[in-house]
Amino acid sequence: MAATVAEDYAALAERLREVTALSAIGGVLGWDEQVMMPAGAASSRAAQQSALAGVVFQLETVPELGALLAKLTTDGKTPLPALVDPLEAAVVRDAARGYRKRTALSKELAQREARLSSEGYQAWVAARKASDFAAFAPVLTQWLSLTKEKCAAIDPGKPVYDVALDAFERGMTSARLDEIFSQTRDGLVPLLAAVRSRGTAPDDSWLAGSFDVDKQAALCKSIAVDMGFDLERGRLDVSVHPFTGGAGPSDVRMTTRFKENDMFEGITGAIHETGHSLYEQGRLGGAFEGLPVSDALSMGVHESQSLLWERMVGLSRPFAAYLLPRLHAAFPGALPAEKTAEDLYAAINKVRESSLIRVEADELTYPLHVILRYELEAALLRGEIAVEDLPALWDAKMQEYLGVTPANAAQGVLQDVHWSAGALGYFPTYLLGAMMAVQVFQAAARALPTLDADIAAGRFGGLKTWLNEKLHSKGSLYPSADELMIAVTGEPLRPAVYLAHMKVREMRCLSDCADTCYSGQVFGAVQALMHLLK
Amino acid sequence: MAATVAEDYAALAERLREVTALSAIGGVLGWDEQVMMPAGAASSRAAQQSALAGVVFQLETVPELGALLAKLTTDGKTPLPALVDPLEAAVVRDAARGYRKRTALSKELAQREARLSSEGYQAWVAARKASDFAAFAPVLTQWLSLTKEKCAAIDPGKPVYDVALDAFERGMTSARLDEIFSQTRDGLVPLLAAVRSRGTAPDDSWLAGSFDVDKQAALCKSIAVDMGFDLERGRLDVSVHPFTGGAGPSDVRMTTRFKENDMFEGITGAIHETGHSLYEQGRLGGAFEGLPVSDALSMGVHESQSLLWERMVGLSRPFAAYLLPRLHAAFPGALPAEKTAEDLYAAINKVRESSLIRVEADELTYPLHVILRYELEAALLRGEIAVEDLPALWDAKMQEYLGVTPANAAQGVLQDVHWSAGALGYFPTYLLGAMMAVQVFQAAARALPTLDADIAAGRFGGLKTWLNEKLHSKGSLYPSADELMIAVTGEPLRPAVYLAHMKVREMRCLSDCADTCYSGQVFGAVQALMHLLK
């Protein structure tokens, strides 16, 4: 590229890296708040986060940044042709996108948003406690109005829901979501009906017991390290709500929690967060460290990495073979010696009781919880339904998709925190992540012929490196998850892949039953899916 | 005050609180770096700290702040008479002082300083390793020149050393230091000569053993809590170099370290850091939280609080009575049952081997280590001595004051890190802190007639509250440590008080010996001072 373009690009990169460094500090503070901070520091910490956010926002919207971006783009959006390196072009594209979004909002609107976030949370907590939707409705009404105002300011030419969605799942549209989710819903509902009341539950009672949490923590740490988590560039701690955060690829902080009487809460959580962490640690470094192209593409893609490890790896037969001897080593004599890896595989895939609650749902019903929320929030933002009708519509959809009806608003429309914080457009990322996890894992399995044997032997390096190369290091190079999927798997996100996987799991379970004959005691992972909703 | 003055003051306070909040973040990051951060994050953390420092400096030197200060002072220094509240006047006075200091320095000089700090440290490490003063001399020469330049820019009317000193010990001058330190030196040197070769060492062999570090940590935490450390507004962790840091009064992070074979390293360190922490947690809140008048007055005053608890309380007879049963409870059966509190008192006050090294020196010789450094660094900055003559002058003073001569530069002039970082004017604060600790504790003992009995019973609340009220909450209200000493103790810092304490300790020890007759086995705390320099 021309000398002056190179200089402008270097100046842009320096500004962006400064913002990244300051934002990363926010990540350390957020982690500290959850894991380390004494309770009495809450209000001074809020003042610190607020001061930092103010500084970051000021640097992100400073006119000098806009001037640089104007010089490096043809129209404030498209990088100059002289930026021939696609990664550098993506840096300019994403920096311009961020600048446009941030400068579109007035300070007054940003302050109103911050206030409503705080008030909305309080109102939601109280309304859920009282199971009183009417007490929460005004908050939701305000969020809908504020979101419309915000989206119109950012991109008046696009549907409101598309602009809202873009904050969490960039490049996704409601048209595309309608396509993906309707196919998924239409495939899952009959599948659910088919599996309902079939089969019997596998035995997982032998996994019950009391397990020292320090030993659980040591075991989970060793699993994370086996998976490839780099302790030189991260930490594993305990917090009330497990999360992955920290300050970028060289300082990834993940947390998990342990229950003395349920070791799989800790193990599953650790595998899930390690999936997120491997993405974070695998982000692009070198010349692109701290620049937007190295950022994770979207919430959905991030969730695909945690779910790939949690479900596709962690609930697999070979993983059970890897895990069983480690359980015996961690808790000598605590588990019956005669149990096999196949027993473990069955037990950890046992389907929980059918639930009205999203966070307690399992693999087969979870998508329908998400689709229900997507349909309702999109209809609200399009003005097709009214806030006051929401509880009745919620209950009707629950009955239609899942065959159950909530007894009250607390177990229904008020169960999730998201809307109270104005996170409209967030829910779809959960299901997109689950779908991408299947499609990406299948591509990995095609590329890595010894994957099953490797997993059984605890050799996760091949899979991790493949994900590093194909996905993690691509960051935000591609402008949407669909384009990333094409690059990684050869095709855009395809609901049929996900649905086929669900069906195959069921088919496999039936054939497994025929093949192995564990006297009705042992069931494969998705065999257990048949016992849903009893 | 007039309406417009009140508005300007409020605007100033808002700006200052923003700077405090951002600086507090630096405190959390610094703690995290020592205690939590994975090693691989070092360079990204350096970028974060650098970005944060840049933002803070920018906010501290922004012209709008200068304009506000111009409106709130008569001459850029003196607060308007309309600011009748002395605390508000002190806020304006200190904010103006900080603004003058920071804007006096060019960006070029600040960058040169940052570079020399980093290069200087590397040069010092190499020079000390090779015991080669000539390899370090160019760094020191550059620091002298840079310090002169900096001090002339900040306050051209004052002696260079006074300006340098003010950064660490505000309001102190070299004339006053000459007075304090020469009296101290002239009193200590003959005292040392008098005690040398007298008496025999107390027995502390019964305290030897192996002590589980987790139990040591629990014991130290309980001592800190007994002293008044508030765990709702602070933490106690482990780090290689113990320190007290964090993010202000509501989030005080102290660390200590433990040795399995020496439990008193941990206990002494915990008491010392708790002394610092009680000062931090006791700082002024409410309307003055986050404003400069709530800041600690100086390094010397801060050190006075750690040393008051470490030496005046922690090495006292009543504290030994408090501690002994707690040692037995923490380590059942590990200590001989027949040992008394008096035995413990003697043992913990045993004087270590005489040392060439400052950080290994004890209460009686430590002051002379400090005075030697003060005399040399002040003479260097005044141009009275040359850098190349420093090693010889060092060795001569060591012989004159302490009767020993270093074998090489590593054990002599190169032993401390301070000069490599340009911290000229720092050393005096160590001794000033030790002297203030004595004077403040004596004032507390006069005010609290049951102090000894309270300490023996673990009731530290009276002393803590007295320190909170008299000293901690005064922050930077007084413009110098001498004025604080007048307010707290009724007189300025008086070397005679400190010297008398040293002599009284010796006298008491002699009379104790006569009174108690422990068969030559038991010695009082400062009895042990007589065994110095054997």
Side-chain angles (χ1 to χ4, degrees):
Chain A
M1 54 186 162
T4 178
V5 175
E7 284 162 22
D8 288 340
Y9 176 83
L12 174 70
E14 193 183 335
R15 285 185 178 273
L16 297 174
R17 284 202 186 91
E18 185 187 13
V19 169
T20 298
L22 292 167
S23 303
I25 291 173
V28 178
L29 293 184
W31 171 85
D32 183 84
E33 204 167 315
Q34 300 285 320
V35 184
M36 295 292 161
M37 191 185 79
S43 79
S44 64
R45 175 57 57 85
Q48 292 154 22
Q49 286 278 30
S50 165
L52 184 66
V55 162
V56 168
F57 187 79
Q58 197 269 331
L59 290 172
E60 284 178 332
T61 56
V62 74
E64 291 86 338
L65 178 60
L68 270 176
L69 288 164
K71 288 165 75 179
L72 286 164
T73 56
T74 54
D75 55 355
K77 294 184 179 186
T78 313
L80 293 182
L83 292 154
V84 290
D85 181 335
L87 290 166
E88 292 183 352
V91 167
V92 172
R93 177 199 67 200
D94 290 358
R97 173 178 175 268
Y99 184 79
R100 278 200 318 278
K101 280 197 162 192
R102 286 182 197 99
T103 52
L105 305 180
S106 68
K107 193 174 174 183
E108 183 275 326
L109 197 150
Q111 286 170 335
R112 227 179 331 136
E113 191 174 10
R115 203 162 47 239
L116 189 53
S117 285
S118 162
E119 292 168 5
Y121 179 75
Q122 305 302 329
W124 171 74
V125 169
R128 189 169 76 152
K129 198 174 171 192
S131 199
D132 176 12
F133 180 74
F136 178 65
V139 167
L140 184 54
T141 302
Q142 284 181 73
W143 271 124
L144 291 169
S145 148
L146 197 148
T147 303
K148 286 177 201 168
E149 190 183 341
K150 191 175 157 182
C151 292
I154 291 172
D155 198 337
K158 274 195 188 163
V160 167
Y161 193 79
D162 287 18
V163 182
L165 193 56
D166 192 68
F168 306 109
E169 192 59 42
R170 66 182 289 191
M172 182 55 70
T173 65
S174 46
R176 176 76 176 121
L177 264 193
D178 283 341
E179 183 182 29
I180 295 170
F181 282 5
S182 64
Q183 287 177 40
T184 306
R185 183 196 59 209
D186 295 347
L188 281 178
V189 172
L191 184 61
L192 255 178
V195 301
R196 206 172 287 163
S197 82
R198 264 197 272 161
T200 52
D203 174 28
D204 63 355
S205 63
W206 59 280
L207 289 175
S210 179
F211 304 94
D212 179 76
V213 292
D214 289 338
K215 285 180 185 157
Q216 286 191 50
L219 171 64
C220 286
K221 195 168 185 170
S222 76
I223 293 172
V225 169
D226 284 351
M227 285 168 62
F229 184 72
D230 180 359
L231 287 169
E232 282 289 297
R233 300 189 297 137
R235 290 180 56 91
L236 206 169
D237 293 275
V238 171
S239 71
V240 177
H241 300 288
F243 67 95
T244 294
S250 65
D251 194 1
V252 177
R253 313 265 176 121
M254 65 165 158
T255 71
T256 185
R257 64 178 169 199
F258 302 103
K259 282 192 185 149
E260 194 160 310
N261 61 358
D262 177 5
M263 66 173 152
F264 278 90
E265 168 143 353
I267 292 171
T268 304
I271 295 171
H272 183 97
E273 300 305 333
T274 303
H276 281 306
S277 294
L278 293 180
Y279 189 3
E280 285 298 302
Q281 291 189 334
R283 282 164 50 193
L284 200 57
F288 295 96
E289 190 181 330
L291 299 183
V293 71
S294 74
D295 288 349
L297 180 62
S298 71
M299 299 298 296
V301 175
H302 224 307
E303 192 71 6
S304 81
Q305 294 307 289
S306 53
L307 291 176
L308 183 148
W309 286 95
E310 179 192 334
R311 293 182 181 168
M312 308 306 289
V313 177
L315 296 181
S316 70
R317 262 199 183 77
F319 194 83
Y322 156 81
L323 187 60
L324 186 61
R326 281 160 183 83
L327 295 182
H328 283 303
F331 305 104
L335 302 177
E338 73 278 9
K339 293 292 180 184
T340 65
E342 196 64 25
D343 296 330
L344 179 61
Y345 170 59
I348 61 178
N349 282 284
K350 182 181 180 180
V351 171
R352 284 158 291 187
E353 288 300 301
S354 157
S355 177
L356 294 160
I357 308 298
R358 177 183 57 85
V359 296
E360 294 169 5
D362 47 56
E363 203 175 349
L364 193 55
T365 50
Y366 194 92
L368 295 167
H369 285 272
V370 171
I371 291 170
L372 174 154
R373 285 157 179 75
Y374 160 66
E375 292 173 346
L376 292 175
E377 68 181 14
L380 281 169
L381 273 176
R382 284 195 287 260
E384 296 165 1
I385 61 174
V387 168
E388 60 265 33
D389 297 332
L390 199 57
L393 291 166
W394 179 288
D395 292 353
K397 276 191 193 283
M398 281 298 286
Q399 188 59 46
E400 180 187 351
Y401 298 165
L402 292 161
V404 288
T405 298
N408 53 49
Q411 292 191 347
V413 67
L414 286 177
Q415 70 182 260
D416 296 304
V417 70
H418 304 58
W419 289 340
S420 80
L424 295 152
Y426 190 107
F427 283 120
T429 68
Y430 290 126
L431 178 50
L432 292 170
M435 298 174 76
M436 285 187 249
V438 174
Q439 194 163 320
V440 170
F441 185 78
Q442 290 186 355
R446 287 194 297 272
L448 304 166
T450 60
L451 184 57
D452 273 7
D454 286 341
I455 290 173
R459 291 187 301 262
F460 303 105
L463 177 58
K464 178 201 165 256
T465 303
W466 189 88
L467 290 167
N468 283 159
E469 285 172 9
K470 297 289 175 185
L471 197 145
H472 305 159
S473 65
K474 299 305 178 197
S476 293
L477 174 61
Y478 303 105
S480 73
D482 267 334
E483 283 167 87
L484 177 69
M485 283 300 104
I486 293 171
V488 176
T489 73
E491 56 183 356
L493 186 61
R494 200 152 63 83
V497 172
Y498 179 67
L499 288 166
H501 166 73
M502 289 300 197
K503 284 181 190 154
V504 166
R505 291 191 96 156
E506 190 202 359
M507 296 308 288
R508 191 170 62 194
C509 109
L510 290 172
S511 66
D512 282 353
C513 289
D515 287 344
T516 52
C517 185
Y518 280 103
S519 318
Q521 183 193 21
V522 174
F523 293 80
V526 191
Q527 189 168 6
L529 287 172
M530 298 187 305
H531 310 294
L532 279 167
L533 298 175
K534 274 185 298 190
Chain B
M1 53 187 163
T4 178
V5 175
E7 284 162 22
D8 288 340
Y9 176 82
L12 173 70
E14 192 183 336
R15 285 185 177 274
L16 296 173
R17 284 202 186 91
E18 185 186 13
V19 168
T20 298
L22 292 167
S23 303
I25 292 172
V28 178
L29 294 183
W31 171 85
D32 182 84
E33 204 169 316
Q34 299 285 318
V35 183
M36 295 291 161
M37 191 185 80
S43 78
S44 64
R45 176 57 56 87
Q48 292 155 21
Q49 286 277 29
S50 165
L52 184 65
V55 163
V56 168
F57 187 80
Q58 198 269 330
L59 290 173
E60 285 178 330
T61 55
V62 74
E64 291 86 339
L65 178 60
L68 270 176
L69 288 164
K71 287 165 77 179
L72 287 163
T73 56
T74 54
D75 55 355
K77 293 185 178 182
T78 314
L80 293 183
L83 292 153
V84 290
D85 181 334
L87 290 166
E88 292 184 352
V91 167
V92 172
R93 177 198 67 199
D94 290 357
R97 174 177 174 266
Y99 185 77
R100 279 200 317 278
K101 280 195 162 191
R102 289 185 195 97
T103 51
L105 305 180
S106 68
K107 192 174 175 184
E108 183 276 324
L109 195 149
Q111 287 171 333
R112 229 181 328 137
E113 193 175 8
R115 203 161 49 240
L116 189 53
S117 285
S118 162
E119 293 168 4
Y121 179 75
Q122 306 301 330
W124 170 73
V125 169
R128 189 169 76 152
K129 197 174 173 193
S131 201
D132 177 11
F133 180 76
F136 178 65
V139 167
L140 185 53
T141 302
Q142 284 181 73
W143 271 124
L144 291 169
S145 147
L146 197 149
T147 303
K148 286 178 201 170
E149 189 182 342
K150 190 175 158 183
C151 293
I154 290 172
D155 198 338
K158 274 194 188 165
V160 167
Y161 193 78
D162 287 18
V163 182
L165 193 56
D166 193 68
F168 307 108
E169 192 59 40
R170 66 181 288 191
M172 183 53 72
T173 65
S174 47
R176 176 76 176 120
L177 264 193
D178 282 341
E179 184 182 29
I180 295 169
F181 282 4
S182 65
Q183 288 176 40
T184 306
R185 182 196 61 210
D186 295 349
L188 281 178
V189 172
L191 183 61
L192 255 179
V195 301
R196 205 172 290 163
S197 82
R198 266 197 270 161
T200 52
D203 174 29
D204 65 353
S205 62
W206 59 280
L207 289 175
S210 180
F211 305 93
D212 179 75
V213 292
D214 289 338
K215 286 180 184 159
Q216 287 192 49
L219 171 64
C220 285
K221 194 168 185 170
S222 75
I223 294 172
V225 169
D226 284 351
M227 285 169 62
F229 184 72
D230 180 0
L231 287 169
E232 282 290 299
R233 299 189 298 137
R235 291 181 55 92
L236 206 169
D237 292 276
V238 171
S239 71
V240 178
H241 300 287
F243 67 95
T244 295
S250 65
D251 194 1
V252 177
R253 315 264 175 122
M254 65 164 158
T255 72
T256 185
R257 62 179 169 199
F258 302 101
K259 282 192 185 150
E260 195 160 310
N261 63 358
D262 177 7
M263 66 173 152
F264 278 90
E265 169 143 353
I267 292 171
T268 305
I271 296 171
H272 182 98
E273 300 305 333
T274 303
H276 281 306
S277 294
L278 293 180
Y279 190 3
E280 285 298 304
Q281 291 189 333
R283 283 164 49 192
L284 199 57
F288 295 97
E289 189 180 330
L291 299 183
V293 71
S294 74
D295 288 347
L297 181 63
S298 71
M299 300 297 297
V301 174
H302 225 307
E303 192 72 5
S304 82
Q305 294 307 289
S306 53
L307 291 176
L308 182 149
W309 287 95
E310 179 191 335
R311 292 183 181 168
M312 308 306 289
V313 177
L315 296 181
S316 70
R317 264 200 181 79
F319 194 83
Y322 156 80
L323 186 59
L324 186 60
R326 281 160 182 83
L327 296 182
H328 283 303
F331 305 104
L335 303 177
E338 74 278 10
K339 294 292 180 183
T340 65
E342 195 64 26
D343 297 330
L344 179 61
Y345 171 58
I348 62 179
N349 280 282
K350 181 180 181 180
V351 172
R352 283 158 293 188
E353 290 300 300
S354 157
S355 176
L356 293 159
I357 308 298
R358 177 182 59 84
V359 295
E360 294 169 5
D362 48 54
E363 203 176 349
L364 193 56
T365 51
Y366 194 90
L368 296 167
H369 284 271
V370 171
I371 292 169
L372 174 153
R373 285 158 179 76
Y374 160 65
E375 291 173 347
L376 292 175
E377 68 181 15
L380 280 169
L381 275 176
R382 283 195 288 259
E384 295 167 0
I385 61 173
V387 167
E388 60 265 33
D389 296 332
L390 199 58
L393 291 166
W394 178 288
D395 292 354
K397 275 190 193 286
M398 281 297 287
Q399 188 58 47
E400 181 187 350
Y401 298 165
L402 292 162
V404 287
T405 297
N408 55 48
Q411 294 192 343
V413 67
L414 286 176
Q415 69 182 260
D416 296 305
V417 70
H418 304 57
W419 289 339
S420 79
L424 294 152
Y426 189 108
F427 284 119
T429 69
Y430 289 126
L431 179 49
L432 292 170
M435 298 174 76
M436 285 187 252
V438 174
Q439 194 163 320
V440 169
F441 185 77
Q442 289 186 355
R446 286 194 299 272
L448 305 166
T450 61
L451 184 56
D452 273 8
D454 286 341
I455 291 174
R459 292 187 301 263
F460 303 105
L463 177 59
K464 177 202 166 258
T465 303
W466 189 88
L467 290 168
N468 283 160
E469 286 172 8
K470 297 289 174 184
L471 195 144
H472 304 159
S473 64
K474 299 306 177 194
S476 293
L477 174 62
Y478 303 105
S480 73
D482 267 333
E483 283 167 87
L484 177 69
M485 283 300 105
I486 293 171
V488 176
T489 73
E491 56 184 358
L493 186 61
R494 199 152 63 82
V497 172
Y498 179 67
L499 288 166
H501 166 74
M502 289 301 199
K503 283 181 188 153
V504 165
R505 291 191 96 156
E506 189 201 2
M507 296 307 288
R508 190 172 60 193
C509 108
L510 291 172
S511 67
D512 282 352
C513 289
D515 287 343
T516 53
C517 186
Y518 280 104
S519 319
Q521 183 194 20
V522 174
F523 293 78
V526 192
Q527 188 170 7
L529 288 173
M530 298 188 304
H531 311 293
L532 280 166
L533 299 175
K534 275 183 300 191

